[in-house]
Amino acid sequence: MIPDPLSPSLSLHAAHGLVDSLRGALAGATCPQWVGVAGDSYRSRHGEVIASVQGVLDQIQAALDLVPSFDEERNRALASALADASISQPELVMLGAW
């Protein structure tokens, strides 16, 4: 089967993988070997930064979850347009103009 170039499914799959990879990297993002003022500052803000990044990743995930419904809506609109064209201009549909 030839993939539909207008369908976002291929890049959507890659985007989901990227978000999952970022979540994994974020879970292991600690630098216990840091010492001094920089280490103290990092540790004091670590939870805040992790929470902020998790929020951004959640928003990205929510947007990615909406893409399939947009794809389905596009397919329904195309099918409706084809059905309307087959009624109003059946010769174009039979010739493959659609």
Side-chain angles (χ1 to χ4, degrees), residues 62-94:
L64 290 174
D65 292 343
L66 289 176
V67 172
S69 64
F70 292 141
D71 201 29
E72 289 172 16
E73 182 62 32
R74 179 185 58 92
N75 289 339
R76 276 195 295 272
L78 178 60
S80 175
L82 286 173
D84 292 345
S86 69
I87 294 169
S88 64
Q89 300 172 331
E91 64 280 357
L92 290 178
V93 175
M94 291 174 60

Side-chain angles (χ1 to χ4, degrees), residues 5-76:
L6 298 177
S7 176
S9 61
L10 296 176
S11 48
L12 183 62
H13 179 70
H16 278 289
L18 179 60
V19 169
D20 290 341
S21 297
L22 288 172
R23 286 188 194 280
L26 189 60
T30 61
C31 293
Q33 70 274 18
W34 287 12
V35 295
V37 176
D40 293 341
S41 175
Y42 172 81
R43 281 185 283 285
S44 69
R45 303 218 43 211
H46 183 262
E48 179 184 339
V49 171
I50 294 292
S52 295
V53 173
Q54 285 288 5
V56 170
L57 286 174
D58 290 344
Q59 290 176 356
I60 292 170
Q61 186 70 51
L64 290 174
D65 292 343
L66 289 176
V67 172
S69 64
F70 292 141
D71 201 29
E72 289 172 16
E73 182 62 32
R74 179 185 58 92
N75 289 339
R76 276 195 295 272

